[in-house]
Structures are given as structure tokens and as C-alpha cells.
Amino acid sequence: VKKRATAQQVADLAGVSKWTVIRAFSEGKSITEDSRAKVLKAAEELKYSPNLLARSLATNQTNQIAVLIDDFGNPHKLPFLEALTERLQAEHKMAMLVNLGPNYDMSAALTNADQRQVDGIILLGTAISAEAVENWREQSATLPLYVLARHTQVPGVVAVDCNAEIAISEIGSYLYGRGYRKPAFMTGPRNQSFALGRFQRFTDYWRDHGVENIAAIPAHRYSLEEGAAAIRAYLSATPVEQRADVIMCENDALALGALESARFEFKLRIPEDLAIVGFDNARLAARPSYDLTTYEQPIVPMVSTLVDMICGRRPAQSTSLKGRLVVRGSA
Amino acid sequence: VKKRATAQQVADLAGVSKWTVIRAFSEGKSITEDSRAKVLKAAEELKYSPNLLARSLATNQTNQIAVLIDDFGNPHKLPFLEALTERLQAEHKMAMLVNLGPNYDMSAALTNADQRQVDGIILLGTAISAEAVENWREQSATLPLYVLARHTQVPGVVAVDCNAEIAISEIGSYLYGRGYRKPAFMTGPRNQSFALGRFQRFTDYWRDHGVENIAAIPAHRYSLEEGAAAIRAYLSATPVEQRADVIMCENDALALGALESARFEFKLRIPEDLAIVGFDNARLAARPSYDLTTYEQPIVPMVSTLVDMICGRRPAQSTSLKGRLVVRGSA
DNA sequence: TTGTAAGCGTTATCAA
DNA sequence: TTGATAACGCTTACAA
């Protein structure tokens, strides 16, 4: 097993000190062209490249960001991961992907990320409770904690999401304009961000327009399967005349599953018998099999904003970006 | 900004040497219960936890594995990522997610992973050329290189995939038994692993059964959109009487897109007018909107096998696991 | 079982 | 511009 060359070995071969080698390999350092050339030549010969691990230990900066996810069942995570890794890599930062699950909870993930000295932690579409943050904060350093694609008011956490107020208002106007008057809402798993979430705003919108008592259809997780299960339960338990005329789902994963179940299991025509609206504009929403009316989250701007914060080019404060309604055939 | 406590500080507080602190935090070291208790108490007070970065530098092992992906458009990556992160985390290893793209090619990714001292590199469903490996090998250390979910014969690369020979034989038998006699095959982007890939075996199977000249329908990438584009081109250019009666697609992403395009754009009945078969058994294949006949890759066993190799519990040699045919409505 | 010395490969700081 | 000293926080090997 051959060992990697070190700066010292390159220095010996080039006839300079190792600090000169370091300088040749870091930008913005003063070094003569002559020295640099000598170093580069020696490095080439020894196939040297700097050990980023050692650099991290010395600089106290790893250029690694932990990205925490808990629902791999939602295909919409993929474009977020794509944009996130792409933007981070452009800044020479890497994403450490963390799978939150029964064997690896939020607390374990935060602790481990911390021990690995990451520069920041991103919760991707995942909620965190105020107390979880508090517990962690008091036992651990002041690592930046970001939430992407989800609203949160938890102190000490910076959120970048899609503006729900504008979104729900646009969706509501559209639905109202199309004549729907019996809306229902499918919620994902309840959590701390629930209070100010999409459901609350949806309810508010309709109350302002004379419609009270919006039915809540609960889904256990964000996935097509759970969306289908949730609407199945709702439609089975609700007589036809009492059913909603439109169901807004908290996200596309739920909406896609709900749409399918309504169409194939209950033989409902979409949107004539039942209209469905999602949220995200996931790639699948555009497929002809679904053709889902939804609301587009501006993924790339959101990710760019977040990465700008991480790089210190923009103040780290919660930001909501405006998305846009995408009208298709389901409502 | 408070700095994290170090082992030395804990040692001072506990009244022992820092090496005793180290011992208290590593398993299998001999230490008295008394000492350990003292250390743990002091650590608790100072909120100390070991710095994994420094440990990595000293042990020459990071417990990080780079996972390289190039097609985020294929939703089937998600279950692989889920299983992979889950299994790795169970071994206290973390996945560094790398997005291969125009701005970050294979060579850059390999070099960077190497510089970051990862313990291994996994190509997730991504091909690599023999020369790319060779180039990298001669300029870099002997880092284990694995290919997951894709066949490869490149020397020095360990592949864990789904046995294509058995798979194609099972699929072929099924299709032949159902009476199909004019098969076509939709291929993804061509590459080095092409020669011994699914298409070749598919062709072989049908030749053995008296069918020659299998049409190849080329797709540019593995995504639903490209699958739709590919079949669109094929159906547009091929008179009805010359069309295949069944199209096998290299994977489900292509098959799902193809199925939709055939159904919605060309008004073909699936499978009566045209049958479609995929490969992967992606989650979407089971949805009623698609109901795709496909071949299941045994994701969890594949990932477990790979992780076992990474952990040295199993010899690192290419392995093909048997999957299983999943018959649904599309063929 | 515990303490000591040396080392991992880099960077920050300062003197020459 | 270059070289030297010290430090980053931990582990291994060895001696007490």
C-alpha cells in the first residue's frame, strides 16, 4: 500500500520548505512564479494533492454540510438534493446525506454532524421542535441550523421556504373563481410548524369567503401511498353528497396518490367529480398520467438563497420566496 | 463563540491524563470503572464529545463513503439512497453525496473524494470507463471503487448488481409465453457497460427463439421525459404494421415515460396495442396510473452486500444478485 | 491500568 | 517572499 505524498516530501524534492508548498496550493498567497513552478513540478512527479482532512483540522472548517432527510418516499426530494449538491459543490462544499429514521433520530443526527465538525446543518423538508433545538443548543456549539422547504418559527433556526401566504391566497382565488365551494385539505404528519402552515392559511382564506368547517384529511407520511390511503379513508367514510368538491393536499406526493385512488378505486372523474390540487410542482405532476394542478416551489432560487447564506454572502435570516400557480387538468 | 471542549480539558477536570479520557470514549479499551465514571462525569459537565475529524486524521479512516450520482431525474435513485444511508449509518459511516454533472465530472469527483480521504467510493447506477479508472488509479491511492446497480467489467472495480442473465431470461420466457413475437428494446445512454448489458442479453434470448433484428430505441438519459421522447420518435417514424408488440425498457424510468406517451399521445391501449416492460420495480411502477410489469432489483440485499464488503465482512468481489419478475398490467 | 512521547498533514503567525 | 515555531485534537506504541 503506497502512502500519499505529503507537502514535506514535495518540499524536499523541490528544494524548498513545506510552507512554500502550501502557498503554491492555496490561492491568494504571495509566492514567486519560480517557486511555484518548482513546487508544481515536484508535486506532479509525486502525484501530490493537499489532504483536505488535515486542512480542515487546522482551519476549523470542513466545507461539509449535513443534509438531513426523513422521507425518502417523497420523490420531490430528488430535485432538491440535485440543486443543493450542485450549488454546494460550486462553492467547494460537500453534502453529507443523513437518513433520519427509527434507528437514527434527530438528536443522534445532530450530535454526529456536530462531532464530524460540519460547517452547517440543513433539514430538508423536515420539521424540528423548539425543544429539540434547545436541547441541542445547550449541549453543543453554535452550528448554523437551516430548514429548507418548510416553514418554522423555532428560534435559532433559519428557514428558507416558499411563501405560504401568497401561495394559498393564489390557490384560493383560483379555486374560488372556478366555482368550488366545498374544499377539504389533506394534511401530512402533524408537527410544530403546523400552526402557521398551509392548512391554517387555507382555512383562513375560505372563512374570509364565507366557507367554514374545512374537513381535514390526515395522512401519516408524505408519500403517494399514504396520500392514497388517506383519501381512501375519507371517501369510504363520507357519503357522496357530503364530499368535498376539491381537495387541496399539503404537497404533491399526497396529491398524486390521492388523485390515483379517487380515479382508479372510486372511479371518480377528475376534476368533474372531485378536483385535486397539490403543492410543489413535482416532476410527476406534469406527467400526463397525473396532470396535476399545483403550486410550484422555486427550488433553485430557494437553494441559491440558502447557499448564499451558508457562504456568508447574505444575512442568515428566514426568507420566504414566492412561487407560482401551475394550472393543469386536475382542478 | 465558545470553543468545544477537548480531551485534555476533560482530563484536567477529571484529574486524569488525556489518554484515559480517550480510552473512556473508545470501545474495547481497558480502563477501570472508577476512571471511566470520573471521565464521563467531567465530560458531561464540559459537554465534551470526541472530535471525529481529529480522530480521522490520526487513524487514517474517515468513515465517510462518497456516493456519486449522475441522474437525479430517475426517481428510483431515492430508495437506493435510502437503503444505502441507512445501512452505512448502522456501521457509523456516512455518505457524502456527489452530484456528477457538466460542472463536476467523474475525474473531478474522484480527485476530490480522494483528497477528502473518504474510505471508499460508490458509483450509484453510473457507468465508468476503464480508462477513467486507469487514469485515476495511476495518479491516486488504492481507494476501493464500487459500482452499485450496474454491471461493469472494468478491472479494479467491484460491482454489485442484479443478475441480468437470469433477469432477461425470466422476462423473455414470460413474454414469449404470452405470445409476443415482435419485441423492441429501449436503451439508455450508451456506455462501456453496454456490451454485456441487458440489451445484448435480450437480443440473444430472442435470437435463440427465432427472432432476429430487435429494434433499438435510444433514449438520451434515464428519466420519464426522455423515455417519452424516445418512444415518441419511434412511434412517429414507424408505421403501425411494423411496430413492435412489446417494448422492453432498460429501466423503469424509461418504461414509465414510454407507457404514458404511448397511452396519452398515441392513444394506444396498454398492453393490447403495445405492451411495455420495465426494469427496477420502482415505486411508481406499482401505482395504478402505471401498473407496469417489471423486474425487481433486490435493493436491500444489494446494498447490504455492498456494505458488508465495505466493512470487510465479505470479500470485495463483483456479485450479481437474483431479482424477481413482477407481473402487472402492462405486459 | 495508566501516563509519556511521537506523530497524523495541514495552517496561522511571526521573524528573517 | 521565505523559513521556522506552534498549534489543530486525536491515536498508536511503549514504558511505568
Side-chain angles (χ1 to χ4, degrees), chain A residues 260-279:
Chain A
E260 282 181 312
S261 176
R263 175 181 287 159
F264 292 101
E265 296 174 39
F266 294 86
K267 309 297 179 196
L268 298 181
R269 290 168 304 155
I270 314 293
E272 294 85 353
D273 300 328
L274 176 64
I276 308 259
V277 181
F279 199 110

PDB file of all heavy atoms in Angstrom, chain A residues 260-279:
ATOM      1  N   GLU A 260     -54.895   9.345  -7.776  1.00  0.00           N
ATOM      2  CA  GLU A 260     -54.967   7.991  -8.312  1.00  0.00           C
ATOM      3  C   GLU A 260     -56.037   7.161  -7.627  1.00  0.00           C
ATOM      4  O   GLU A 260     -56.787   6.430  -8.266  1.00  0.00           O
ATOM      5  CB  GLU A 260     -53.625   7.276  -8.107  1.00  0.00           C
ATOM      6  CG  GLU A 260     -52.580   7.666  -9.085  1.00  0.00           C
ATOM      7  CD  GLU A 260     -51.319   6.884  -8.820  1.00  0.00           C
ATOM      8  OE1 GLU A 260     -50.895   6.812  -7.652  1.00  0.00           O
ATOM      9  OE2 GLU A 260     -50.757   6.356  -9.781  1.00  0.00           O
ATOM     10  N   SER A 261     -56.049   7.261  -6.316  1.00  0.00           N
ATOM     11  CA  SER A 261     -57.014   6.451  -5.586  1.00  0.00           C
ATOM     12  C   SER A 261     -58.433   6.854  -5.966  1.00  0.00           C
ATOM     13  O   SER A 261     -59.289   6.009  -6.219  1.00  0.00           O
ATOM     14  CB  SER A 261     -56.795   6.627  -4.083  1.00  0.00           C
ATOM     15  OG  SER A 261     -57.767   5.916  -3.365  1.00  0.00           O
ATOM     16  N   ALA A 262     -58.668   8.152  -6.021  1.00  0.00           N
ATOM     17  CA  ALA A 262     -60.001   8.627  -6.385  1.00  0.00           C
ATOM     18  C   ALA A 262     -60.376   8.150  -7.785  1.00  0.00           C
ATOM     19  O   ALA A 262     -61.499   7.703  -8.033  1.00  0.00           O
ATOM     20  CB  ALA A 262     -60.046  10.155  -6.320  1.00  0.00           C
ATOM     21  N   ARG A 263     -59.438   8.211  -8.677  1.00  0.00           N
ATOM     22  CA  ARG A 263     -59.715   7.858 -10.069  1.00  0.00           C
ATOM     23  C   ARG A 263     -59.893   6.355 -10.267  1.00  0.00           C
ATOM     24  O   ARG A 263     -60.860   5.906 -10.852  1.00  0.00           O
ATOM     25  CB  ARG A 263     -58.579   8.378 -10.947  1.00  0.00           C
ATOM     26  CG  ARG A 263     -58.696   7.971 -12.408  1.00  0.00           C
ATOM     27  CD  ARG A 263     -57.527   8.508 -13.212  1.00  0.00           C
ATOM     28  NE  ARG A 263     -57.623   9.947 -13.429  1.00  0.00           N
ATOM     29  CZ  ARG A 263     -56.585  10.716 -13.739  1.00  0.00           C
ATOM     30  NH1 ARG A 263     -55.374  10.192 -13.830  1.00  0.00           N
ATOM     31  NH2 ARG A 263     -56.747  12.002 -13.957  1.00  0.00           N
ATOM     32  N   PHE A 264     -58.951   5.579  -9.728  1.00  0.00           N
ATOM     33  CA  PHE A 264     -58.966   4.153 -10.041  1.00  0.00           C
ATOM     34  C   PHE A 264     -59.796   3.314  -9.073  1.00  0.00           C
ATOM     35  O   PHE A 264     -60.432   2.366  -9.473  1.00  0.00           O
ATOM     36  CB  PHE A 264     -57.541   3.609 -10.097  1.00  0.00           C
ATOM     37  CG  PHE A 264     -56.756   4.152 -11.265  1.00  0.00           C
ATOM     38  CD1 PHE A 264     -55.843   5.174 -11.095  1.00  0.00           C
ATOM     39  CD2 PHE A 264     -56.961   3.638 -12.547  1.00  0.00           C
ATOM     40  CE1 PHE A 264     -55.139   5.681 -12.178  1.00  0.00           C
ATOM     41  CE2 PHE A 264     -56.257   4.138 -13.632  1.00  0.00           C
ATOM     42  CZ  PHE A 264     -55.340   5.165 -13.449  1.00  0.00           C
ATOM     43  N   GLU A 265     -59.777   3.686  -7.818  1.00  0.00           N
ATOM     44  CA  GLU A 265     -60.515   2.873  -6.855  1.00  0.00           C
ATOM     45  C   GLU A 265     -61.961   3.312  -6.733  1.00  0.00           C
ATOM     46  O   GLU A 265     -62.851   2.495  -6.550  1.00  0.00           O
ATOM     47  CB  GLU A 265     -59.840   2.935  -5.483  1.00  0.00           C
ATOM     48  CG  GLU A 265     -58.442   2.333  -5.470  1.00  0.00           C
ATOM     49  CD  GLU A 265     -57.765   2.543  -4.128  1.00  0.00           C
ATOM     50  OE1 GLU A 265     -58.441   2.438  -3.084  1.00  0.00           O
ATOM     51  OE2 GLU A 265     -56.545   2.842  -4.128  1.00  0.00           O
ATOM     52  N   PHE A 266     -62.187   4.632  -6.812  1.00  0.00           N
ATOM     53  CA  PHE A 266     -63.545   5.131  -6.623  1.00  0.00           C
ATOM     54  C   PHE A 266     -64.176   5.584  -7.928  1.00  0.00           C
ATOM     55  O   PHE A 266     -65.268   6.118  -7.940  1.00  0.00           O
ATOM     56  CB  PHE A 266     -63.544   6.267  -5.584  1.00  0.00           C
ATOM     57  CG  PHE A 266     -63.163   5.803  -4.210  1.00  0.00           C
ATOM     58  CD1 PHE A 266     -61.827   5.732  -3.836  1.00  0.00           C
ATOM     59  CD2 PHE A 266     -64.137   5.394  -3.304  1.00  0.00           C
ATOM     60  CE1 PHE A 266     -61.468   5.281  -2.570  1.00  0.00           C
ATOM     61  CE2 PHE A 266     -63.791   4.948  -2.041  1.00  0.00           C
ATOM     62  CZ  PHE A 266     -62.458   4.881  -1.668  1.00  0.00           C
ATOM     63  N   LYS A 267     -63.463   5.398  -9.004  1.00  0.00           N
ATOM     64  CA  LYS A 267     -63.980   5.704 -10.337  1.00  0.00           C
ATOM     65  C   LYS A 267     -64.486   7.134 -10.458  1.00  0.00           C
ATOM     66  O   LYS A 267     -65.457   7.401 -11.172  1.00  0.00           O
ATOM     67  CB  LYS A 267     -65.125   4.733 -10.696  1.00  0.00           C
ATOM     68  CG  LYS A 267     -64.789   3.257 -10.494  1.00  0.00           C
ATOM     69  CD  LYS A 267     -63.654   2.820 -11.392  1.00  0.00           C
ATOM     70  CE  LYS A 267     -63.318   1.348 -11.148  1.00  0.00           C
ATOM     71  NZ  LYS A 267     -61.998   0.995 -11.705  1.00  0.00           N
ATOM     72  N   LEU A 268     -63.864   8.019  -9.726  1.00  0.00           N
ATOM     73  CA  LEU A 268     -64.281   9.415  -9.820  1.00  0.00           C
ATOM     74  C   LEU A 268     -63.588  10.071 -11.004  1.00  0.00           C
ATOM     75  O   LEU A 268     -62.437   9.761 -11.312  1.00  0.00           O
ATOM     76  CB  LEU A 268     -63.920  10.163  -8.532  1.00  0.00           C
ATOM     77  CG  LEU A 268     -64.597   9.662  -7.255  1.00  0.00           C
ATOM     78  CD1 LEU A 268     -64.177  10.518  -6.061  1.00  0.00           C
ATOM     79  CD2 LEU A 268     -66.113   9.684  -7.414  1.00  0.00           C
ATOM     80  N   ARG A 269     -64.301  10.967 -11.637  1.00  0.00           N
ATOM     81  CA  ARG A 269     -63.669  11.735 -12.708  1.00  0.00           C
ATOM     82  C   ARG A 269     -62.984  12.956 -12.090  1.00  0.00           C
ATOM     83  O   ARG A 269     -63.578  13.642 -11.257  1.00  0.00           O
ATOM     84  CB  ARG A 269     -64.727  12.179 -13.732  1.00  0.00           C
ATOM     85  CG  ARG A 269     -65.308  11.034 -14.574  1.00  0.00           C
ATOM     86  CD  ARG A 269     -66.521  11.511 -15.330  1.00  0.00           C
ATOM     87  NE  ARG A 269     -67.511  12.077 -14.399  1.00  0.00           N
ATOM     88  CZ  ARG A 269     -68.430  12.971 -14.734  1.00  0.00           C
ATOM     89  NH1 ARG A 269     -68.516  13.406 -15.970  1.00  0.00           N
ATOM     90  NH2 ARG A 269     -69.276  13.431 -13.833  1.00  0.00           N
ATOM     91  N   ILE A 270     -61.751  13.151 -12.493  1.00  0.00           N
ATOM     92  CA  ILE A 270     -61.000  14.313 -12.005  1.00  0.00           C
ATOM     93  C   ILE A 270     -60.916  15.308 -13.153  1.00  0.00           C
ATOM     94  O   ILE A 270     -60.440  14.939 -14.225  1.00  0.00           O
ATOM     95  CB  ILE A 270     -59.558  13.911 -11.618  1.00  0.00           C
ATOM     96  CG1 ILE A 270     -59.517  12.633 -10.788  1.00  0.00           C
ATOM     97  CG2 ILE A 270     -58.825  15.044 -10.924  1.00  0.00           C
ATOM     98  CD1 ILE A 270     -60.131  12.735  -9.424  1.00  0.00           C
ATOM     99  N   PRO A 271     -61.373  16.511 -13.050  1.00  0.00           N
ATOM    100  CA  PRO A 271     -61.832  17.182 -11.837  1.00  0.00           C
ATOM    101  C   PRO A 271     -63.350  17.231 -11.695  1.00  0.00           C
ATOM    102  O   PRO A 271     -63.833  17.843 -10.756  1.00  0.00           O
ATOM    103  CB  PRO A 271     -61.307  18.598 -12.050  1.00  0.00           C
ATOM    104  CG  PRO A 271     -61.435  18.800 -13.526  1.00  0.00           C
ATOM    105  CD  PRO A 271     -61.202  17.452 -14.158  1.00  0.00           C
ATOM    106  N   GLU A 272     -64.098  16.624 -12.625  1.00  0.00           N
ATOM    107  CA  GLU A 272     -65.559  16.814 -12.618  1.00  0.00           C
ATOM    108  C   GLU A 272     -66.195  16.346 -11.300  1.00  0.00           C
ATOM    109  O   GLU A 272     -67.000  17.064 -10.704  1.00  0.00           O
ATOM    110  CB  GLU A 272     -66.204  16.064 -13.789  1.00  0.00           C
ATOM    111  CG  GLU A 272     -65.830  16.603 -15.157  1.00  0.00           C
ATOM    112  CD  GLU A 272     -64.527  16.027 -15.668  1.00  0.00           C
ATOM    113  OE1 GLU A 272     -63.840  15.303 -14.898  1.00  0.00           O
ATOM    114  OE2 GLU A 272     -64.153  16.290 -16.823  1.00  0.00           O
ATOM    115  N   ASP A 273     -65.854  15.161 -10.863  1.00  0.00           N
ATOM    116  CA  ASP A 273     -66.448  14.653  -9.627  1.00  0.00           C
ATOM    117  C   ASP A 273     -65.692  15.140  -8.400  1.00  0.00           C
ATOM    118  O   ASP A 273     -66.260  15.344  -7.335  1.00  0.00           O
ATOM    119  CB  ASP A 273     -66.443  13.126  -9.628  1.00  0.00           C
ATOM    120  CG  ASP A 273     -67.229  12.559 -10.795  1.00  0.00           C
ATOM    121  OD1 ASP A 273     -68.220  13.207 -11.201  1.00  0.00           O
ATOM    122  OD2 ASP A 273     -66.842  11.503 -11.316  1.00  0.00           O
ATOM    123  N   LEU A 274     -64.411  15.272  -8.579  1.00  0.00           N
ATOM    124  CA  LEU A 274     -63.575  15.719  -7.464  1.00  0.00           C
ATOM    125  C   LEU A 274     -62.318  16.359  -8.046  1.00  0.00           C
ATOM    126  O   LEU A 274     -61.638  15.752  -8.872  1.00  0.00           O
ATOM    127  CB  LEU A 274     -63.187  14.525  -6.587  1.00  0.00           C
ATOM    128  CG  LEU A 274     -62.222  14.819  -5.434  1.00  0.00           C
ATOM    129  CD1 LEU A 274     -62.871  15.762  -4.424  1.00  0.00           C
ATOM    130  CD2 LEU A 274     -61.787  13.528  -4.745  1.00  0.00           C
ATOM    131  N   ALA A 275     -62.053  17.563  -7.596  1.00  0.00           N
ATOM    132  CA  ALA A 275     -60.841  18.245  -8.065  1.00  0.00           C
ATOM    133  C   ALA A 275     -59.735  18.060  -7.034  1.00  0.00           C
ATOM    134  O   ALA A 275     -60.013  17.903  -5.848  1.00  0.00           O
ATOM    135  CB  ALA A 275     -61.114  19.722  -8.284  1.00  0.00           C
ATOM    136  N   ILE A 276     -58.493  18.042  -7.509  1.00  0.00           N
ATOM    137  CA  ILE A 276     -57.357  17.857  -6.606  1.00  0.00           C
ATOM    138  C   ILE A 276     -56.309  18.926  -6.909  1.00  0.00           C
ATOM    139  O   ILE A 276     -56.021  19.212  -8.071  1.00  0.00           O
ATOM    140  CB  ILE A 276     -56.697  16.478  -6.818  1.00  0.00           C
ATOM    141  CG1 ILE A 276     -57.734  15.360  -6.742  1.00  0.00           C
ATOM    142  CG2 ILE A 276     -55.541  16.280  -5.852  1.00  0.00           C
ATOM    143  CD1 ILE A 276     -57.790  14.612  -5.461  1.00  0.00           C
ATOM    144  N   VAL A 277     -55.758  19.481  -5.852  1.00  0.00           N
ATOM    145  CA  VAL A 277     -54.672  20.452  -6.005  1.00  0.00           C
ATOM    146  C   VAL A 277     -53.513  20.028  -5.118  1.00  0.00           C
ATOM    147  O   VAL A 277     -53.725  19.601  -3.984  1.00  0.00           O
ATOM    148  CB  VAL A 277     -55.114  21.874  -5.587  1.00  0.00           C
ATOM    149  CG1 VAL A 277     -53.983  22.865  -5.772  1.00  0.00           C
ATOM    150  CG2 VAL A 277     -56.325  22.307  -6.381  1.00  0.00           C
ATOM    151  N   GLY A 278     -52.306  20.136  -5.632  1.00  0.00           N
ATOM    152  CA  GLY A 278     -51.131  19.780  -4.845  1.00  0.00           C
ATOM    153  C   GLY A 278     -50.289  20.982  -4.498  1.00  0.00           C
ATOM    154  O   GLY A 278     -50.748  22.134  -4.572  1.00  0.00           O
ATOM    155  N   PHE A 279     -49.088  20.704  -4.076  1.00  0.00           N
ATOM    156  CA  PHE A 279     -48.167  21.790  -3.746  1.00  0.00           C
ATOM    157  C   PHE A 279     -46.744  21.274  -3.924  1.00  0.00           C
ATOM    158  O   PHE A 279     -46.364  20.267  -3.294  1.00  0.00           O
ATOM    159  CB  PHE A 279     -48.362  22.229  -2.299  1.00  0.00           C
ATOM    160  CG  PHE A 279     -47.813  23.600  -2.012  1.00  0.00           C
ATOM    161  CD1 PHE A 279     -48.657  24.667  -1.753  1.00  0.00           C
ATOM    162  CD2 PHE A 279     -46.439  23.831  -2.016  1.00  0.00           C
ATOM    163  CE1 PHE A 279     -48.155  25.941  -1.485  1.00  0.00           C
ATOM    164  CE2 PHE A 279     -45.937  25.097  -1.756  1.00  0.00           C
ATOM    165  CZ  PHE A 279     -46.801  26.159  -1.494  1.00  0.00           C
TER     166      PHE A 279
END
